[in-house]
Amino acid sequence: MGDTRDGTASGTANGAAPRLGPSVAEPAARRGRGATANPTGRYESARREAFHDETWTADAPAPLRTEVTPERSARIIARNSSPDIPFDRSINPYRGCEHGCIYCYARPTHAWLGLSPGLDFESRIFTKPDAARLLAREIAAPGYRPDTIALGTATDPYQPVEREHRLTRAVLEVLREARHPVSITTKSDLVLRDLDLLTEMAAENLVLAAISLPTLDPDLARRLDPRAPRPGKRLAAMRGLSAAGVPVMVNVSPIIPGLTDHEIESILAEARAHGASRIGHALLRLPGEVADLVADWFTEHYPERRARAFALLREARGGRENDPRFGHRFRGEGAYATMIGQRVRLAGTRLGFAFGRIALNRDAFRKPGAQLALF
């Protein structure tokens, strides 16, 4: 089994001191990993805290090997009724994400598995090998009505394990055969592998591809999302998709106060030059354990920017680090959030972007296994 050694939760939320720390057996940062700690999951019965005496010194952390475990699911389509989300159904062929984005709002879901939202989330990956079969069964059900399925809402459908397991491709093959609309959100240029399917679907207005691009700085990207393709490859993915006729959205997300917010206009200009035609954006969210993980990450990588980042975030979140209210959680409120929204709109309008998702084709849908009545 993988390394599940824990970190500690300590300190304050005001940006002054670390709130998580490494375990007694490891220093904070690991090469190729986003999280600098592995805090105990909130549902575990015991909590471990690090204790460092004056004689202890940390060695360089050993590489953390990724573990991949198959799991069986009864269903594959997840439903939601959130009024601020532009889709009511989604598919995630994987749990956890090896990209290791420190800011990922889905990190707390690993606690449901008795694991840590920290290093466990990015190193202990679960696959759903029955995803395509379950999808075919669910959309073939008598009462099913088609609407856009969002692919990749909690984990990236093109994370590294997809190269071997090909679950995302299998899902797309079912959707292509059924002429079912789908939107894809990813950070990976691996999406270009499936251009044969996506081009065919785009010809019938069945697909939208969204590429997340929070920064153009490759050094910052290496720290923010260490195993995701660098910004240049994401831009190349936009160009390849657009050239094949697949509509492309750039997700300037998350916008991190005091760290990436100065890049908004340059990100949009580069994305437009590489074929993106639509914009999505969101301010950094810190649900659950993500707040402590991000605070600790700032302490490790950008300690001089931590206080300002959290101050601006609290300004946009009504004095809190996270505001889970519908209608507020993605964009925030107040002077700073308003300024961010205005910059996105002004730059997007000047560059000729459209805003938000497109209405995809639901009328072409045919149930899997359906045959023409010949007699």
Side-chain angles (χ1 to χ4, degrees):
M1 298 298 290
D3 187 346
T4 57
R5 291 173 295 181
D6 245 292
T8 176
S10 62
T12 64
N14 63 7
R19 297 186 297 189
L20 294 174
S23 76
V24 295
E26 59 183 328
R30 286 178 179 268
R31 182 176 177 84
R33 297 296 180 183
T36 55
N38 208 37
T40 307
R42 61 190 179 280
Y43 300 122
E44 295 184 50
S45 58
R47 183 180 184 86
R48 296 181 294 277
E49 294 191 1
F51 173 76
H52 297 173
D53 62 28
E54 294 180 356
T55 64
W56 179 86
T57 57
D59 297 322
L64 187 60
R65 183 177 180 179
T66 300
E67 299 176 24
V68 181
T69 304
E71 68 173 17
R72 299 298 173 185
S73 304
R75 300 184 64 83
I76 195 62
I77 299 177
R79 300 278 183 162
N80 82 84
S81 57
S82 303
D84 56 352
I85 294 180
F87 54 85
D88 66 358
R89 64 201 75 182
S90 60
I91 292 176
N92 289 284
Y94 304 98
R95 289 181 189 259
C97 187
E98 198 177 3
H99 281 163
C101 308
I102 187 58
Y103 49 76
C104 182
Y105 59 82
R107 282 183 176 272
T109 62
H110 243 45
W112 303 343
L113 304 173
L115 298 173
S116 173
L119 289 168
D120 283 349
F121 178 80
E122 55 194 271
S123 64
R124 301 183 67 175
I125 310 301
F126 295 83
T127 66
K128 301 176 184 178
D130 291 336
R133 181 183 63 82
L134 292 171
L135 173 61
R137 185 183 70 186
E138 289 174 40
I139 65 176
Y144 183 81
R145 296 291 180 269
D147 208 340
T148 299
I149 287 176
L151 184 57
T153 57
T155 63
D156 198 309
Y158 286 103
Q159 62 176 289
V161 294
E162 168 63 16
R163 293 187 183 278
E164 175 184 353
H165 292 269
R166 300 173 68 88
L167 301 182
T168 296
R169 182 171 177 90
V171 165
L172 286 175
E173 287 172 343
V174 172
L175 295 174
R176 185 271 312 268
E177 182 65 25
R179 292 182 169 82
H180 193 295
V182 61
S183 65
I184 301 168
T185 300
T186 184
K187 292 183 174 72
S188 179
D189 58 339
L190 182 56
V191 66
L192 297 176
R193 178 201 65 187
D194 295 335
L195 267 184
D196 57 330
L197 302 175
L198 300 177
T199 302
E200 184 178 336
M201 297 179 77
E204 296 188 65
N205 188 30
L206 293 170
V207 64
L208 169 68
I211 305 294
S212 298
L213 187 62
T215 180
L216 294 173
D217 182 344
D219 186 58
L220 175 55
R222 180 176 57 82
R223 292 172 169 84
L224 277 175
D225 35 39
R227 297 201 178 191
R230 297 285 72 84
K233 289 191 174 183
R234 301 184 210 183
L235 290 168
M238 293 182 195
R239 174 167 287 166
L241 289 164
S242 178
V246 179
V248 178
M249 170 187 285
V250 56
N251 270 338
V252 189
S253 175
I255 296 171
I256 304 176
L259 187 66
T260 67
D261 49 3
H262 67 285
E263 293 191 72
I264 291 172
E265 290 80 4
S266 55
I267 290 172
L268 291 177
E270 284 296 314
R272 189 73 175 120
H274 285 78
S277 58
R278 309 190 76 84
I279 298 175
H281 82 280
L283 192 63
L284 176 66
R285 296 170 55 198
L286 299 178
E289 295 90 341
V290 179
D292 281 345
L293 289 165
V294 169
D296 194 55
W297 179 90
F298 264 101
T299 298
E300 176 69 24
H301 296 289
Y302 299 97
E304 75 285 357
R305 300 193 188 190
R306 173 175 160 168
R308 174 170 170 75
F310 275 78
L312 289 171
L313 197 61
R314 285 192 292 273
E315 177 186 328
R317 301 295 190 193
R320 297 176 291 175
E321 291 176 355
N322 188 59
D323 184 354
R325 293 177 298 161
F326 294 140
H328 297 272
R329 54 183 176 161
F330 295 116
R331 303 294 171 80
E333 59 187 354
Y336 176 77
T338 299
M339 180 266 293
I340 292 295
Q342 289 175 342
R343 287 174 58 193
V344 171
R345 285 191 295 274
L346 287 172
T349 300
R350 174 173 52 82
L351 291 165
F353 276 101
F355 292 85
R357 296 175 181 262
I358 59 176
L360 297 176
N361 180 12
R362 296 179 295 179
D363 297 333
F365 175 69
R366 61 184 185 188
K367 291 183 183 294
Q371 298 182 10
L372 294 176
L374 299 179
F375 304 99

